[in-house]
Amino acid sequence: MTTFSRSAAFLSLVVVLHAVHVGGAILESQAPHRELKAYRPLQDTNLEEVYASSAAAVHYDPDLKDVNIVATYSDHYGNIRLGRVKMGDLSASWVLENPANQVSGRKKGSQLVIPRDSFQNDTGIEDNASHSTTNQTDESENQFPNVEFANPAKLKRQILRQERRGQRTLELIQQEKETDEQMQEAAIEKSMSFENSVIGKYSIWRRDYESPNADAILKLMRDQIIMAKAYANIAKSKNVTNLYVFLMQQCGENHRVIGKATSDADLPSSALDQAKAMGHALSLAKDELYDCHELAKKFRAMLQSTERKVDGLKKKGTFLIQLAAKTFPKPLHCLSLQLAADYFILGFNEEDAVKEDVSRKKFEDPSLYHYAIFSDNVLATSVVVNSTVLNAKEPQKHVFHIVTDKLNFAAMKMWFRISAPADATIQVENINDFKWLNSSYCSVLRQLESARLKEYYFKANHPSSISAGADNLKYRNPKYLSMLNHLRFYLPEVYPKLEKILFLDDDIVVQKDLAPLWEIDMQGKVNGAVETCKESFHRFDKYLNFSNPKISENFEASACGWAFGMNMFDLKEWRKRNITGIYHYWQDMNEDRTLWKLGSLPPGLITFYNLTYAMERSWHVLGLGYDPALNQTAIENAAVVHYNGNYKPWLGLAFAKYKPYWSKYVEYDNPYLRRCDINE
């Protein structure tokens, strides 16, 4: 090492280093630590041992330990950085080699410091790195020979790391694709569950807080109409005819431009021009007619008039909803007529009498599962029967007792003759054949025949009718005139040989096997039902008049209410406690309707007071006919879902998201349904 002297300590040997990330084995969090200052200083003896073991190593001169090395390298962000280190501070992973091509004029024995673990990287990056050092020395341009990686084991590990990185990249891409697909499916499913009957501007992608300036033009034009009408009325009262006519013309133009628009996007391009024209008209009116007191007086009059109109529209809306909910739809009326006509034309009435005698044993067998359904709706009754049988584990043990009125008896018989489930047993009866059910025995029949009750229902112009009782329109329902609604209080008389029977309304759908209900120990209670009270809702004080001492002295206002629709009745206990007699007593007490209004639930709450066994809520979920915000999981897990309320599933008013639970049990391919245009 004679070519170097002590004075060479002031010289710096310029070396270009390039840091290469290999195989993804170095994490990003470790990259900042790859600067030269992290290298540990080594003893001279260690260096000599390393160089002695390397085929490419040269004799190490201890005098070189004070030589400064200026290193240029790229950090983990790709930036070119400079570092300075002493030769003596290099670790064992660095070796000294003679370059393959010495630059002319270089002193003999000049050496190049390279990392032992490095290998040739991309040519373009090396060019950039060497170019960054040209201003420091002219001798560094050709100092970088092609360096081969000498250790096969390390090379293999690098290849494996690259393969693992590639595999991990593919896995992450696949996970991202699956996540995107799940989000798309969830968005589509959620969009289908939204109610389509909602009117107005609505989008499932809308923001919770819209801009306060949204639809500013539409709001402005509507406000202009209100102002113009106020000024027009003042102009008319002061005989300013020309201004009155002008303002009314502008009001008409505003109405024409707005049309049926619900947002600015629905307005035509001329809307802004019309708003400006109306603004000019209002400015003229203000200059000529403005009087603060007069204007405030006019606005109060307009407000009162609008409130009266809104109140009237609300009453009309309530009446029309009740009317639509209680009116028998034309397709269902058609179905009853078609079935009844074919029943008599084909002479099935005589054959059915013979078949009923054969099935009489099953009708009275207490070991079977018996159901009571009282309805005049053929289609609704068929859904109840179909859903119960299809979800039953032993359908041959289920017996359905259907009672209808004289008008629909033939239609009901015909339907279950041609479309009855194969395994179940079905009995159809006419309520008019129950000769024991007459006004001398039945209190409610006697009351329904009274002149006062007929006046309540049929004399619309009377003060006691709709004009004075709009809030209670739901009680003026024709079903309250039907004994089918009150027949549930006479179950022991209708089925004298049965011990237990499950009562089902015609607006329910069965989703699970109901046989376990017969195994429930009702602990001596007569009625098994699901309670409907939540906090202060659906308690006795909602249904009964506690201002009457007859009610307040015998019942608790906070007692929990329950629902008809799915009720298990113990007929043996019923007979022992004379439940029908209790019902008659309270029905007679309410002849003037001061204890409760019409309906079957209030007398049911009274009759079965302290005699009702509370069943699990999952047996019977209510509200599908009036509540659009029910818990979807509760509906799907329920044994029975109940469309109580005005929005029945067979009406156009029904909630779209609840209707599939009912419609999947309707046989839409039945020729009678197609003939009467009954579709999904």
Side-chain angles (χ1 to χ4, degrees):
M1 297 296 179
T2 58
T3 56
F4 286 93
S5 64
R6 292 289 180 179
S7 61
F10 297 97
L11 300 176
S12 296
L13 179 62
V14 180
V15 179
V16 178
L17 302 179
H18 186 76
V20 181
H21 180 273
V22 179
I26 301 176
L27 301 176
E28 289 183 6
S29 62
Q30 297 171 323
H33 302 289
R34 296 175 58 191
E35 300 180 9
L36 289 178
K37 65 181 180 181
Y39 292 116
R40 295 178 292 104
L42 297 176
Q43 299 297 330
D44 296 346
T45 56
N46 292 338
L47 281 173
E48 291 174 356
E49 292 175 2
V50 173
Y51 297 154
S53 62
S54 175
V58 296
H59 178 70
Y60 173 73
D61 186 350
D63 292 336
L64 295 179
K65 65 181 182 179
D66 293 328
V67 175
N68 290 329
I69 299 174
V70 178
T72 304
Y73 61 97
S74 61
D75 61 11
H76 66 292
Y77 295 110
N79 301 321
I80 302 299
R81 301 186 64 180
L82 295 177
R84 185 182 299 273
V85 68
K86 297 288 187 180
M87 177 74 79
D89 293 338
L90 296 179
S91 66
S93 62
W94 298 83
V95 297
L96 301 177
E97 293 184 357
N98 288 319
N101 299 319
Q102 295 290 345
V103 180
S104 61
R106 176 175 302 205
K107 294 181 181 180
K108 183 178 178 181
S110 63
Q111 294 173 319
L112 172 67
V113 181
I114 65 171
R116 179 182 295 180
D117 295 339
S118 66
F119 57 96
Q120 187 174 356
N121 197 6
D122 193 60
T123 306
I125 299 177
E126 291 186 12
D127 292 343
N128 292 337
S130 65
H131 177 71
S132 66
T133 64
T134 54
N135 294 332
Q136 301 177 30
T137 176
D138 294 335
E139 296 180 350
S140 63
E141 294 179 357
N142 298 316
Q143 286 183 344
F144 295 91
N146 293 332
V147 182
E148 298 294 337
F149 188 70
N151 193 330
K154 290 186 178 180
L155 179 59
K156 185 176 181 179
R157 286 197 298 271
Q158 292 166 1
I159 294 173
L160 291 175
R161 284 196 293 267
Q162 288 177 339
E163 291 177 353
R164 288 196 299 271
R165 181 174 63 179
Q167 182 64 28
R168 179 58 178 164
T169 302
L170 292 176
E171 292 177 358
L172 292 174
I173 292 174
Q174 183 63 27
Q175 289 178 5
E176 186 177 0
K177 288 182 179 178
E178 292 176 356
T179 303
D180 289 343
E181 291 175 357
Q182 291 175 0
M183 291 178 63
Q184 291 176 5
E185 292 175 359
I188 293 172
E189 183 178 354
K190 187 172 183 180
S191 66
M192 295 177 67
S193 67
F194 275 85
E195 179 58 38
N196 296 328
S197 62
V198 177
I199 300 176
K201 185 184 64 175
Y202 190 80
S203 169
I204 63 171
W205 308 113
R206 69 177 176 83
R207 296 185 179 181
D208 291 336
Y209 302 100
E210 293 186 350
S211 169
N213 295 324
D215 304 327
I217 299 176
L218 181 62
K219 294 176 182 177
L220 173 63
M221 295 185 72
R222 287 173 173 169
D223 291 343
Q224 286 178 335
I225 293 174
I226 296 174
M227 290 292 296
K229 287 183 176 179
Y231 278 122
N233 285 322
I234 296 174
K236 187 177 182 180
S237 64
K238 294 184 177 182
N239 294 323
V240 187
T241 307
N242 293 337
L243 184 56
Y244 169 78
V245 173
F246 179 61
L247 289 172
M248 294 306 295
Q249 287 177 348
Q250 291 299 319
C251 283
E253 286 296 316
N254 267 31
H255 278 299
R256 183 187 62 79
V257 171
I258 292 174
K260 297 181 179 181
T262 57
S263 66
D264 281 358
D266 300 331
L267 294 173
S269 57
S270 60
L272 188 58
D273 294 335
Q274 174 57 32
K276 292 179 180 179
M278 174 63 94
H280 178 67
L282 291 175
S283 178
L284 294 176
K286 180 179 179 181
D287 293 340
E288 186 170 348
L289 301 173
Y290 183 75
D291 183 339
C292 184
H293 177 73
E294 186 71 21
L295 200 59
K297 182 178 177 181
K298 181 54 64 178
F299 277 138
R300 281 196 297 270
M302 292 175 66
L303 179 61
Q304 292 173 358
S305 175
T306 303
E307 287 177 346
R308 286 194 296 270
K309 288 180 180 179
V310 169
D311 186 54
L313 290 174
K314 283 182 178 179
K315 289 182 179 179
K316 285 184 180 179
T318 302
F319 176 76
L320 291 174
I321 288 175
Q322 294 293 332
L323 183 63
K326 309 310 175 187
T327 302
F328 204 63
K330 183 178 179 180
L332 296 185
H333 185 62
C334 165
L335 178 63
S336 295
L337 291 177
Q338 293 286 343
L339 290 168
D342 288 352
Y343 181 77
F344 290 109
I345 291 173
L346 299 175
F348 289 147
N349 53 330
E350 297 178 359
E351 295 181 16
D352 286 345
V354 178
K355 287 184 178 180
E356 286 189 4
D357 292 337
V358 176
S359 303
R360 182 65 58 183
K361 291 183 179 180
K362 278 193 172 184
F363 295 159
E364 299 175 350
D365 187 352
S367 65
L368 300 179
Y369 305 125
H370 293 268
Y371 300 84
I373 306 172
F374 305 149
S375 173
D376 58 357
N377 189 325
V378 176
L379 188 61
T381 305
S382 71
V383 169
V384 177
V385 174
N386 289 343
S387 62
T388 305
V389 173
L390 290 175
N391 290 288
K393 295 180 180 178
E394 297 177 298
Q396 69 278 4
K397 292 185 178 181
H398 294 257
V399 181
F400 297 88
H401 303 271
I402 301 171
V403 179
T404 187
D405 55 16
K406 184 177 181 180
L407 184 63
N408 294 281
F409 176 70
M412 196 77 76
K413 293 280 286 186
M414 183 65 181
W415 177 267
F416 286 104
R417 180 183 178 86
I418 63 174
S419 300
D423 298 324
T425 302
I426 299 175
Q427 178 189 27
V428 180
E429 295 181 280
N430 184 355
I431 192 173
N432 295 92
D433 293 336
F434 300 154
K435 302 303 181 184
W436 51 267
L437 194 64
N438 50 58
S439 57
S440 61
Y441 174 67
C442 179
S443 301
V444 70
L445 262 181
R446 183 171 60 255
Q447 293 172 11
L448 290 174
E449 293 174 356
S450 67
R452 183 185 300 177
L453 209 61
K454 290 180 181 178
E455 180 183 86
Y456 179 81
Y457 273 107
F458 300 111
K459 293 188 177 181
N461 295 326
H462 195 274
S464 65
S465 190
I466 293 176
S467 58
D471 293 338
N472 299 315
L473 282 175
K474 65 179 181 179
Y475 298 110
R476 304 172 188 275
N477 189 330
K479 76 176 184 179
Y480 298 129
L481 295 175
S482 172
M483 269 307 298
L484 289 175
N485 193 48
H486 298 270
L487 190 61
R488 64 194 70 186
F489 294 103
Y490 299 94
L491 287 171
E493 286 86 347
V494 181
Y495 309 108
K497 295 186 178 182
L498 298 182
E499 298 177 356
K500 270 190 173 183
I501 194 166
L502 184 66
F503 172 78
L504 297 176
D505 269 343
D506 61 0
D507 56 353
I508 63 101
V509 174
V510 178
Q511 300 185 129
K512 293 183 181 179
D513 183 25
L514 299 182
L517 286 172
W518 275 262
E519 301 175 2
I520 294 178
D521 180 11
M522 294 173 56
Q523 303 173 2
K525 306 293 186 181
V526 179
N527 171 32
V530 171
E531 293 181 336
T532 58
C533 58
K534 296 178 181 179
E535 297 178 356
S536 61
F537 301 103
H538 296 283
R539 298 190 180 272
F540 271 42
D541 56 356
K542 176 182 178 181
Y543 305 99
L544 305 175
N545 180 18
F546 275 86
S547 63
N548 191 307
K550 295 178 183 178
I551 295 294
S552 59
E553 292 173 2
N554 291 280
F555 307 99
E556 291 184 10
S558 61
C560 190
W562 46 268
F564 276 122
M566 189 206 73
N567 304 80
M568 175 60 72
F569 290 109
D570 186 339
L571 300 184
K572 290 177 63 177
E573 200 68 26
W574 184 312
R575 298 183 186 100
K576 184 174 27 176
R577 294 177 179 271
N578 189 23
I579 298 300
T580 304
I582 297 174
Y583 166 71
H584 283 163
Y585 171 79
W586 285 103
Q587 195 69 48
D588 290 339
M589 296 282 287
N590 192 47
E591 187 169 1
D592 56 356
R593 299 191 309 280
T594 57
L595 304 184
W596 69 84
K597 298 185 184 297
L598 295 177
S600 58
L601 181 56
L605 296 176
I606 289 178
T607 302
F608 297 104
Y609 182 64
N610 289 332
L611 296 173
T612 299
Y613 174 79
M615 294 195 290
E616 291 289 335
R617 291 186 183 273
S618 60
W619 280 112
H620 185 193
V621 172
L622 299 101
L624 278 74
Y626 70 87
D627 188 354
L630 291 176
N631 184 287
Q632 203 73 17
T633 302
I635 295 175
E636 294 173 357
N637 294 334
V640 172
V641 292
H642 194 173
Y643 292 83
N644 57 313
N646 289 329
Y647 302 96
K648 303 297 184 186
W650 55 83
L651 299 175
L653 300 172
F655 295 117
K657 63 179 180 179
Y658 297 153
K659 192 169 182 179
Y661 297 108
W662 183 84
S663 60
K664 68 180 179 180
Y665 294 106
V666 178
E667 302 172 4
Y668 287 105
D669 57 345
N670 186 288
Y672 284 99
L673 298 189
R674 293 201 302 268
R675 194 184 305 174
C676 292
D677 197 25
I678 299 176
N679 304 308
E680 287 190 71

